[in-house]
Amino acid sequence: MTRLRNLTILLTMALLALAACDKQDDIDRAYTDYRYDIVTYLGQNETGAVFEYLGHGDSTAVSLQSQVSVSDIKTNQRVLLRYDFADQQAGNHRDITVYGCNAIISDSLRQSHAADSLPRHEMKLRSLWRTGPYLNLRCQVEYTGKSRTFMLVADESTLASDTVHCYLVHDLRGERPTFWRDCYASFSIGALWKRPSLKCMRVHLNDLTYPDTEFYDFNK
C-alpha cells in the first residue's frame, strides 16, 4: 500500500525525533505508524465515521469503522485518509484510528465529442492506479489560489470501441501559476468499466515527469 508523507509531516517527525532523543520519550504513533489511502466516506453511524477501502484492481471492499465525526464532507465522496488499524484482525470489517481526513478532487468520468481538444495544462505524475470502479491519481500541479478545471473526460467517439480514450483535462483558467503542490483525485469510472465492449481504458495526460509517455492503459 502506498504510504504518502508530505513535507510538513516529515519536518514534524524530524523535530519530534530530536525531542525524543533528549527526553528519552516515545514518539506518538500518529507520526510514525499510519497508512495513507484514498477511500470513500460512507457517512456516520452510532460509533463514528465509516469509510470503504478498495485495494488495487478488483479487490474485495473493506469497511473501516472509526470513532470520529467527519464534517464538511459529503457521503460517497472520496477522501485521503491517514489512519492505522486498531487491531490486527484481518477481514472485511476493520476498526481504525483516524489521524487525518482530507477531501480531494472527487468526480465522475465525463464525456465530450472533442475531449482530445480540451486544455491539458502540464502536471507532474506521481502515480495513477485503479481500485474497483475508481481511477485514482496522485500528482503535483501548479498552485494559483483560484479554482481550476480538473476532470477526466472520455472521447464520445470511442465509447463503443474496445479501447476508450480518456483525457485528463487541466485548465488554470488564465490564472498565473506559482509553486508546485501535491494534488489527489479520484474519478468514478464504474459506468464505463462495466461495458461488455470495453477491453482497454486509455488515459492521456500532459506529464512533465514522464514526458515520453503520452498515455496509460488499464486493461480488463
Side-chain angles (χ1 to χ4, degrees), residues 71-131:
S71 60
D72 301 326
I73 296 178
K74 297 179 180 179
T75 301
N76 294 324
Q77 184 172 346
R78 300 283 279 170
V79 299
L80 183 65
L81 189 68
R82 187 164 71 92
Y83 69 103
D84 194 14
F85 293 117
D87 56 53
Q88 300 302 316
Q89 300 295 324
N92 297 335
H93 301 276
R94 303 290 302 271
D95 290 332
I96 61 171
T97 301
V98 173
Y99 301 128
C101 179
N102 299 101
I104 62 174
I105 297 171
S106 181
D107 196 15
S108 296
L109 176 67
R110 302 165 186 258
Q111 60 186 55
S112 170
H113 66 280
D116 60 340
S117 64
L118 295 174
R120 278 182 282 157
H121 187 75
E122 59 194 19
M123 48 164 282
K124 294 180 179 180
L125 181 66
R126 293 295 179 262
S127 54
L128 183 68
W129 72 103
R130 182 181 69 87
T131 54

Side-chain angles (χ1 to χ4, degrees), residues 1-210:
M1 208 59 56
T2 303
R3 294 172 180 249
L4 312 175
R5 295 177 170 83
N6 59 31
L7 180 59
T8 301
I9 294 174
L10 288 173
L11 290 175
T12 304
M13 289 173 60
L15 291 173
L16 286 172
L18 290 175
C21 291
D22 291 337
K23 299 181 180 180
Q24 301 298 316
D25 293 333
D26 291 335
I27 300 175
D28 192 318
R29 285 175 54 86
Y31 297 104
T32 60
D33 300 313
Y34 61 84
R35 301 164 59 97
Y36 253 137
D37 287 314
I38 294 178
V39 301
T40 305
Y41 170 60
L42 298 182
Q44 302 276 147
N45 60 19
E46 63 278 1
T47 302
V50 182
F51 305 90
E52 182 182 71
Y53 165 78
L54 290 167
H56 282 253
D58 297 305
S59 302
T60 302
V62 178
S63 175
L64 306 176
Q65 175 67 63
S66 76
Q67 296 185 8
V68 300
S69 296
V70 173
S71 60
D72 301 326
I73 296 178
K74 297 179 180 179
T75 301
N76 294 324
Q77 184 172 346
R78 300 283 279 170
V79 299
L80 183 65
L81 189 68
R82 187 164 71 92
Y83 69 103
D84 194 14
F85 293 117
D87 56 53
Q88 300 302 316
Q89 300 295 324
N92 297 335
H93 301 276
R94 303 290 302 271
D95 290 332
I96 61 171
T97 301
V98 173
Y99 301 128
C101 179
N102 299 101
I104 62 174
I105 297 171
S106 181
D107 196 15
S108 296
L109 176 67
R110 302 165 186 258
Q111 60 186 55
S112 170
H113 66 280
D116 60 340
S117 64
L118 295 174
R120 278 182 282 157
H121 187 75
E122 59 194 19
M123 48 164 282
K124 294 180 179 180
L125 181 66
R126 293 295 179 262
S127 54
L128 183 68
W129 72 103
R130 182 181 69 87
T131 54
Y134 298 101
L135 186 71
N136 309 297
L137 169 72
R138 180 197 174 196
C139 65
Q140 286 190 325
V141 298
E142 292 169 292
Y143 178 76
T144 66
K146 303 292 184 179
S147 298
R148 71 185 65 204
T149 299
F150 198 91
M151 57 189 181
L152 186 65
V153 181
D155 184 344
E156 287 181 344
S157 66
T158 67
L159 288 178
S161 304
D162 58 0
T163 299
V164 175
H165 292 258
C166 301
Y167 297 83
L168 187 64
V169 177
H170 185 200
D171 186 0
L172 300 186
R173 302 180 185 176
E175 298 295 334
R176 182 179 179 180
T178 53
F179 58 90
W180 293 90
R181 64 180 299 176
D182 286 340
C183 174
Y184 301 89
S186 185
F187 304 98
S188 176
I189 60 169
L192 172 63
W193 198 256
K194 290 186 294 185
R195 285 177 176 247
S197 61
L198 180 72
K199 301 301 181 184
C200 173
M201 179 179 176
R202 179 163 293 174
V203 181
H204 300 258
L205 43 81
N206 181 10
D207 175 35
L208 293 180
T209 305
Y210 307 102

